[in-house]
Amino acid sequence: MKTTPLGLSLCLSLLAFAWAPTVPAQTAPLVAAAAAEAQARVIVRFKPAAASVRAKAMSVSMSRSAAMDVAQTRATGLGLRSGLNARTRQGLRALRSLDERTHVIVASGISSAALAQQLALDSEVEMAVVDQRRRHTRVPNDPFYSTALPSGPSVGQWYLKPPSNVPGEAVSSINAPAAWDINTGHSSIVVAVLDTGIRKDHPELAAQIVGGYDMVGLNSSSAQATATANDGDGADADASDPGDWVSQADINAGTLGSSCDASDIGNSSWHGTRVAGLIAAASNNGVGMAGVAWGVKILPVRVLGKCGGYDSDIIAGMQWAAGVAVPGLPSNPNPAKVLNMSLGGSGACGTTGTGQLYRNAISAVTARGASIVVAAGNSEGLAVGLPGNCPGVITVTGLRHVGSKVGFSSIGPEVSIAAPGGNCVNLSGACLYPMFSTTNSGTTTPVVGDAAYTNNGASVGTSFSTPVVAGTVALMLSVRPSMTPAEVLSTLRSTARPFVTSGGTAGIPQCTAPTSATQDECYCTTSTCGSGMLDAGAAVAAARAANGAVIQIVSTPSTPLAGNPLSLSASSSTLGTGRSIASAAWTLSSGGGIVSGFSAGANTQTVTLTPSGGGSFSVSLQLTDDLGTVHNSTRTITVSAVGSTAQTIAFTAPSGLVFGQAPSSLVATASSGLPVSFSSSTSAVCTVSGSSLTLVAGGSCTVVASQAGSSVFAAAPSVSRSFTVSPASQSISFPAVADQVLGAAAPALAATASSGLSVSFESSTPGVCTVSGTSLSLLSSGVCTVLAKQAGNSSYQAAADVARSFNVAGTPQTITFSAIANQTLGTAMPALTATASSGLAVSYSSSTTAVCTVSGTAVSLLTAGTCTLTASQAGNSSFAAAAPVSQSFAVAAAPVVTPTPSPSTSSGGGGGGGAFSGLWLALLALAAWALRPGTAERGEMSRRSAAAAGRA
């Protein structure tokens, strides 16, 4: 494997740096040393208290553009302080951010190493390291390579099968069928594949994928970034694999950078597609291959392009895959519980530099409860590379089918466990033991919708040991989702099978601690290859056992007798905290000559059967929980034969039973002294549990007393007793009903019977009110009486009726009686026009009859004064009497008209003539008033006035 620095170019915004501290200018010799490298790429972490960090904080929730602005501001200030902006083309440019203080920075005209060295001198910088490339762990130097053939390997998917116990045969297989008997993977478990991307259109993978992201080429539009990404659009949510072939033309053009050379030339690997197929290819579908955990989902995270991928892309991909927020990236809606990293490169995982960055990322991921499974590498027995040598990950080395370390695999104390890595055995022709998986047949660009497999090709390497372990971890988490990464690793170690010490190629040594010398095939030890060989079945079983499930098969009766019904129940079983029984299945393991099958319930939690004789039989129970985990248990049941001594039962029927009373005890005795059992043949009226009788209704209850016998006594003749269960009394609770008013909404009637039976209502005053169901209708004013009734049934006697009476008042009404203008005697008064809101007729009366009187709506004015009239409405059966309304008005006397005197000849006594004239006018006015239409009294007054005038 090869690890070289390489950079990507981007154009970003600039920074003001007036507050920035200065560092010694030592750049000239460093820049001069960079002649061979067109672009440098480093990862820079700023100190928490750095002025540039405090000046403008970065948040993990920032958009990509906002995060870019902050990172570029810091990069520009760093370039100005170091003098690199003046000495390098375009200055320092920021690409992606790994967290709030850590950024990828690139520059032209300087080497990555020189750039890291110079930036590390800045007083604000905590760390500056080369952003190295990692590659998927292909096998460049394996001596057992062979060319692909068009057909699949004769051994099929040998690595999944139960292992052989015979040395020299396939002893490293992982025993996946034993794991599948427990669980085939739950869809809630997501496995992230950090790789070259995945061909999502492969039929075995199309339905297995959720979400994903392409990390390659983020925030860079340089020619090198575009060539490396090879998909034309840089980083985005499409994690499809566009192909990672490298041609001689690519090398000659130099577009992939100086760290990509002739050793990288080759066809597209479709590496991520091969890894994903081993983990979760659609299975049990009659076609193609089987994935280790075909029920889980795959999250593709593309971190490798042509010639591999940068540490920064890989670290960002790790964090994002587990649901850790990364500045400038969208949140991941499908966080993974397992990360598969079939990639790596050289370097130590120290507590500073690049190792520190990986350690930080691993801590963040495992804190989210996600396990990280990493390939040890294919360095032919050399030390494990980065990140497989970091603490907190599950590092996997590769085994040959016979159990010895496969020649290409890296080794060392950092390895956690060993798993099949594939080996071809022969030096030419078909590869005999490849890691058969999904792929694409395109040599450069993909064949769309291709259903290709690796077949007999040399699909080998720790890249393919790793997904076998990742799939097993996914099965473990499907059984027990609460497992922590530490618990997962501990369980894998404790369930691993011991390494073999024979069966390998003759004369191979035991593996030793890695040095600078290669080690090909050798016998593994726990200090070089991990705790042992992966046992998927045992690991998943251990995870299930950690749930604390207890499977119980309970027999009723506990001592079965031949010829008597027997029930077996799983209902008292527990499948672990938070788990429930989703399904049950019973099978008859051995009938023992006394049981031929189940009577009922073979797919329920309780099964029934009747043994034909004494002896024993065995049953198996399979319980499946709500996560699809299968639990199995087997029990052997012993059945006693029945003896021949006769016995009888004495059973007295109970009496005086009333429905609703507490359960009572049944009493019967067998002449044998054996206990008597009871059963009800009228379960609608009474039930029996043991000797306790429960009354469920009134009626006739029939109970049968039985004694099944024993090894001495024959079964007793059953005795049946029938007895009456009398109905219980009941009463009605009917709250009083408040007085009501016609026209207002009447309340719904509510009454309850102590029996719980429904109550009916009826009205005994239908002229005032009626009832329909619980609806009350008010018809007229008066007293409404409603009866509440409950007629009873077989269990309850009829209840005594309860009556409730209440008053129904008429609908209120009002009178509108407008004010009356003042009137004058002698003028006609208009008719009265008051109205009632009910529409009923209004009547009138006068309370000042000396001044005015009323007849109908006509008013008569009698004399001057104040006339007070009252409008009334007495109401009827529907309306209450209205409040009277009075109006008063003044009645004025008729005005006196004085005619103008005509000229006359006065004679002596002219003064007398004047007095006569005034008296005459008064008499004329009185006569006019007296002669108006009116009573006889007024007529009489007129006559008297006339006589008086004559006398005058």
Side-chain angles (χ1 to χ4, degrees):
M1 291 174 291
K2 175 180 58 176
T3 303
T4 54
L6 184 68
L8 301 177
S9 62
L10 280 179
C11 291
L12 303 175
S13 59
L14 299 178
L15 163 72
F17 70 107
W19 40 261
T22 61
V23 296
Q26 303 177 16
T27 60
L30 298 178
V31 174
E37 188 168 6
Q39 188 177 71
R41 179 172 174 135
V42 298
I43 302 173
V44 175
R45 172 169 289 174
F46 287 85
K47 296 175 181 177
S52 56
V53 172
R54 296 198 313 271
K56 189 171 185 181
M58 175 179 285
S59 167
V60 293
S61 61
M62 279 182 169
S63 66
R64 180 183 295 187
S65 60
M68 278 274 294
D69 287 343
V70 175
Q72 183 58 52
T73 297
R74 296 173 183 175
T76 303
L78 181 58
L80 291 170
R81 291 193 304 273
S82 64
L84 287 170
N85 279 0
R87 294 176 172 84
T88 60
R89 295 189 300 274
Q90 299 179 344
L92 299 186
R93 285 151 294 139
L95 301 184
R96 82 159 63 248
S97 297
L98 298 181
D99 56 41
E100 297 91 332
R101 297 187 291 117
T102 309
H103 318 289
V104 176
I105 293 178
V106 298
S108 300
I110 186 173
S111 71
S112 296
L115 180 60
Q117 181 181 350
Q118 178 61 39
L119 296 183
L121 298 175
D122 189 274
S123 61
E124 291 196 3
V125 172
E126 178 181 302
M127 173 202 310
V129 297
V130 175
D131 190 7
Q132 300 184 68
R133 277 196 176 186
R134 310 287 160 183
R135 287 164 166 76
H136 53 69
T137 51
R138 291 184 294 181
V139 187
N141 300 313
D142 186 79
F144 299 109
Y145 271 157
S146 67
T147 56
L149 293 181
S151 59
S154 60
V155 292
Q157 290 183 266
W158 63 273
Y159 48 89
L160 297 180
K161 298 177 181 180
S164 172
N165 292 321
V166 178
E169 295 185 359
V171 299
S172 65
S173 301
I174 69 169
N175 197 18
W180 297 335
D181 284 344
I182 298 172
N183 198 297
T184 57
H186 194 270
S187 60
S188 64
I189 302 301
V190 176
V191 181
V193 175
L194 282 73
D195 216 291
T196 62
I198 294 175
R199 289 310 306 167
K200 301 177 183 180
D201 54 357
H202 195 293
E204 294 273 28
L205 301 175
Q208 308 297 86
I209 295 172
V210 291
Y213 207 81
D214 179 5
M215 301 287 170
V216 180
L218 181 72
N219 297 336
S220 178
S221 58
S222 70
Q224 181 176 311
T226 301
T228 300
N230 198 35
D231 59 358
D233 56 8
D236 55 24
D238 181 11
S240 298
D241 187 349
D244 59 354
W245 79 95
V246 176
S247 66
Q248 185 63 54
D250 291 327
I251 303 302
N252 294 341
T255 55
L256 296 174
S258 60
S259 63
C260 192
D261 55 33
S263 66
D264 290 295
I265 295 174
N267 293 337
S268 290
S269 66
W270 313 116
H271 192 266
T273 301
R274 294 156 77 180
V275 167
L278 288 167
I279 296 171
S283 305
N284 205 28
N285 55 4
V287 297
M289 61 172 290
V292 175
W294 67 76
V296 306
K297 295 300 180 182
I298 293 291
L299 176 73
V301 182
R302 186 172 182 242
V303 297
L304 305 178
K306 287 193 172 188
C307 297
Y310 289 105
D311 286 325
S312 55
D313 290 338
I314 295 168
I315 290 170
M318 292 171 65
Q319 296 176 126
W320 184 86
V324 178
V326 180
L329 292 183
S331 60
N332 175 13
N334 305 289
K337 290 286 286 183
V338 187
L339 275 63
N340 187 100
M341 299 178 64
S342 294
L343 51 82
S346 62
C349 190
T351 56
T352 60
T354 304
Q356 180 185 351
L357 295 174
Y358 273 104
R359 284 173 178 256
N360 293 345
I362 291 165
S363 295
V365 169
T366 56
R368 286 299 192 101
S371 296
I372 306 171
V373 188
V374 184
N378 299 326
S379 64
E380 200 173 351
L382 301 183
V384 175
L386 192 67
N389 54 8
C390 290
V393 302
I394 300 168
T395 303
V396 186
T397 198
L399 298 174
R400 302 181 76 232
H401 70 290
V402 294
S404 54
K405 182 192 84 73
V406 68
F408 51 73
S409 181
S410 303
I411 57 175
E414 303 89 351
V415 176
S416 307
I417 199 161
N423 58 286
C424 295
V425 180
N426 51 351
L427 297 176
S428 62
C431 185
L432 299 185
Y433 289 93
M435 301 296 287
F436 181 86
S437 189
T438 49
T439 190
N440 190 280
S441 58
T443 57
T444 54
T445 58
V447 175
V448 177
D450 194 14
Y453 299 93
T454 56
N455 297 325
N456 282 327
S459 182
V460 296
T462 57
S463 275
F464 310 124
S465 306
T466 305
V468 171
V469 175
T472 300
V473 172
L475 291 179
M476 295 165 64
L477 291 169
S478 296
V479 169
R480 185 171 171 78
S482 63
M483 292 185 83
T484 66
E487 289 172 334
V488 168
L489 176 56
S490 175
T491 303
L492 287 173
R493 289 183 183 276
S494 64
T495 57
R497 290 179 290 113
F499 291 119
V500 300
T501 56
S502 62
T505 303
I508 63 171
Q510 188 177 69
C511 300
T512 60
T515 64
S516 59
T518 60
Q519 294 185 71
D520 290 326
E521 182 185 359
C522 55
Y523 289 119
C524 281
T525 66
T526 54
S527 62
T528 55
C529 302
S531 296
M533 297 186 292
L534 173 67
D535 189 329
V540 175
R544 179 181 64 181
N547 285 330
V550 177
I551 311 302
Q552 293 185 325
I553 299 175
V554 178
S555 170
T556 304
S558 57
T559 55
L561 283 174
N564 289 274
L566 168 67
S567 67
L568 302 174
S569 175
S571 59
S572 59
S573 300
T574 57
L575 303 186
T577 304
R579 303 278 64 81
S580 60
I581 298 175
S583 64
W586 299 85
T587 56
L588 187 63
S589 303
S590 172
I594 59 173
V595 177
S596 58
F598 301 120
S599 304
N603 292 306
T604 68
Q605 292 187 39
T606 300
V607 68
T608 58
L609 53 93
T610 302
S612 59
S616 62
F617 65 95
S618 297
V619 294
S620 294
L621 168 64
Q622 183 181 88
L623 295 179
T624 304
D625 69 15
D626 53 321
L627 292 179
T629 302
V630 176
H631 304 262
N632 296 287
S633 183
T634 299
R635 181 178 173 184
T636 298
I637 309 294
T638 299
V639 180
S640 299
V642 179
S644 58
T645 303
Q647 61 170 328
T648 58
I649 295 173
F651 180 22
T652 302
S655 61
L657 298 178
V658 177
F659 172 68
Q661 72 179 47
S664 56
S665 296
L666 297 169
V667 178
T669 58
S671 60
S672 62
L674 296 172
V676 175
S677 62
F678 301 93
S679 62
S680 170
S681 57
T682 52
S683 57
V685 177
C686 57
T687 60
V688 177
S689 176
S691 62
S692 179
L693 175 68
T694 299
L695 307 178
V696 296
S700 179
C701 171
T702 300
V703 174
V704 178
S706 304
Q707 213 305 304
S710 67
S711 58
V712 176
F713 290 93
S718 297
V719 177
S720 178
R721 293 287 183 262
S722 296
F723 43 90
T724 299
V725 179
S726 301
S729 61
Q730 62 171 325
S731 60
I732 294 174
S733 174
F734 186 13
V737 181
D739 291 344
Q740 303 294 311
V741 176
L742 282 174
L749 298 172
T752 57
S754 60
S755 63
L757 299 174
S758 61
V759 176
S760 63
F761 303 92
E762 68 177 42
S763 170
S764 59
T765 54
V768 177
C769 56
T770 60
V771 177
S772 176
T774 60
S775 297
L776 176 66
S777 297
L778 305 176
L779 306 180
S780 66
S781 58
V783 176
C784 172
T785 300
V786 176
L787 299 178
K789 297 173 170 287
Q790 213 306 304
N793 60 13
S794 62
S795 299
Y796 289 94
Q797 302 171 13
D801 294 348
V802 177
R804 291 288 180 259
S805 297
F806 54 92
N807 295 317
V808 180
T811 305
Q813 62 171 325
T814 58
I815 293 174
T816 301
F817 187 11
S818 302
I820 303 173
N822 292 335
Q823 304 292 316
T824 303
L825 287 171
T827 60
M829 181 174 172
L832 300 175
T833 57
T835 58
S837 59
S838 62
L840 298 175
V842 176
S843 63
Y844 306 91
S845 63
S846 171
S847 59
T848 54
T849 55
V851 178
C852 56
T853 59
V854 179
S855 176
T857 61
V859 179
S860 297
L861 304 176
L862 305 180
T863 186
T866 298
C867 174
T868 299
L869 301 178
T870 300
S872 304
Q873 213 305 305
N876 61 10
S877 61
S878 298
F879 290 92
V885 179
S886 296
Q887 298 291 355
S888 295
F889 57 93
V891 180
V896 176
V897 181
T898 304
T900 304
S902 59
S904 60
T905 304
S906 63
S907 59
F916 175 82
S917 176
L919 178 60
W920 178 250
L921 290 174
L923 290 173
L924 285 176
L926 179 62
W929 180 84
L931 291 174
R932 65 183 176 82
T935 63
E937 288 80 1
R938 288 196 293 271
E940 179 62 23
M941 187 177 295
S942 297
R943 287 190 295 275
R944 291 177 179 177
S945 299
R951 287 193 299 273

